[in-house]
Amino acid sequence: MRITRVLSGALLALGLAAGPAAADSSPSASPSDGASAPTSAGTSFRTATEVEQGQTATASASTGDYLYWSFPADSGLRPTVKATVKLPDAHVAQTWQIDVYDGLRRRQACQYGAQTRTAAQGTASIELTCVLRTVRSWSEPWANDPLPGTYYVRLTAVGLKAADLGLPVDAELRVDSKDIGGAAAVDGSLAKPLVPGIAVTSATEEDDDESASAVLSSLEPDDGWASGWWTDRWVWSGIGAVLAALAGIGGYRLTRGSGRPRQVPPGA
């Protein structure tokens, strides 16, 4: 009975500790209060329009234009990028493509989703989706794994003929993330997230010279970078350790016996 009470108390305590981890596994938080969604897009990596996760950015452009947005993604998140292109009534068949790049401008493969789609003549709109792999807190230098930092989205029509250029279109972009939790945790972390200009900013902060700041991307997660250091991996590791200790205690009590010498009947 004593072992049962100890086991129940330990599991209850670990269940309460698992509460924050369960909350961390929910989808990414909504954008900051009062933040307005962007209504334009950049034309290059350097001029990419910053978008917070959970916002729906819009832009007006023409076929043949390159539209760029950027958003922050921290470790443990699996971002999903969705784009909708509203086409004019009179248009020929068009093929649109969405590409996602990390802070080093390495093109990231989509885990699944329709990254390239063709709109037949007369189609009112087309939707594109790119679900990235889970962002890792650390990776080998030779690997192409997603890492914490700024991510760039490029939307454009491909394979257009000269007569098809210049048609007006409207585009929408939305980025959401799912927190994968301890299943994606690795042993290691980056010294700095892959944010353009962050190394220059760190140096200027050490010199107390804010005027020389050269940050090219100002958005970051609500709780700061590497906010997902606490995952349910810690909870399950703790549960395993407690259960192993209790199993050892129970086995010891069962194998040592009652501890009393055996009584020998008189005259035996």
Side-chain angles (χ1 to χ4, degrees), residues 30-203:
S30 58
S32 303
D33 295 339
S36 58
T39 57
S40 61
T43 56
S44 67
F45 286 101
R46 292 185 60 86
T47 61
T49 299
E50 296 180 341
V51 180
E52 293 189 20
Q53 295 196 28
Q55 286 184 331
T56 300
T58 58
S60 298
S62 302
T63 53
D65 292 343
Y66 286 89
L67 306 180
Y68 286 82
W69 294 271
S70 66
F71 66 92
D74 206 357
S75 57
L77 299 180
R78 180 183 293 167
T80 298
V81 181
K82 295 182 179 180
T84 302
V85 183
K86 299 179 181 179
L87 304 172
D89 295 335
H91 70 86
V92 296
Q94 296 181 4
T95 300
W96 285 80
Q97 180 172 307
I98 188 172
D99 298 298
V100 183
Y101 300 83
D102 64 9
L104 298 178
R105 299 186 184 180
R106 302 177 303 179
R107 184 176 181 273
Q108 292 295 320
C110 298
Q111 191 174 22
Y112 53 88
Q115 184 180 7
T116 303
R117 297 189 65 179
T118 299
Q121 185 175 4
T123 303
S125 63
I126 187 172
E127 296 183 356
L128 305 170
T129 304
C130 177
V131 180
L132 296 175
R133 295 170 294 165
T134 303
V135 179
R136 298 164 56 91
S137 60
W138 180 86
S139 179
E140 295 289 348
W142 46 262
N144 194 37
D145 296 322
L147 294 170
T150 300
Y151 282 77
Y152 296 93
V153 180
R154 183 177 70 184
L155 176 66
T156 188
V158 296
L160 291 174
K161 297 180 180 179
D164 301 330
L165 297 175
L167 295 177
V169 295
D170 293 320
E172 294 182 356
L173 181 86
R174 183 180 177 90
V175 181
D176 294 290
S177 289
K178 180 180 180 181
D179 193 340
I180 304 302
V186 297
D187 296 329
S189 61
L190 297 179
K192 294 290 183 181
L194 301 181
V195 178
I198 193 170
V200 178
T201 304
S202 300

Side-chain angles (χ1 to χ4, degrees), residues 159-257:
L160 291 174
K161 297 180 180 179
D164 301 330
L165 297 175
L167 295 177
V169 295
D170 293 320
E172 294 182 356
L173 181 86
R174 183 180 177 90
V175 181
D176 294 290
S177 289
K178 180 180 180 181
D179 193 340
I180 304 302
V186 297
D187 296 329
S189 61
L190 297 179
K192 294 290 183 181
L194 301 181
V195 178
I198 193 170
V200 178
T201 304
S202 300
T204 57
E205 289 177 353
E206 293 177 359
D207 298 336
D208 295 329
D209 183 9
E210 298 181 356
S211 61
S213 177
V215 176
L216 301 181
S217 181
S218 60
L219 292 182
E220 64 179 31
D222 293 337
D223 298 330
W225 293 108
S227 58
W229 67 271
W230 171 261
T231 67
D232 53 7
R233 182 182 182 185
W234 295 93
V235 176
W236 291 112
S237 298
I239 292 176
V242 171
L243 292 179
L246 293 176
I249 295 173
Y252 171 74
R253 291 179 62 88
L254 290 175
T255 56
R256 76 168 185 166

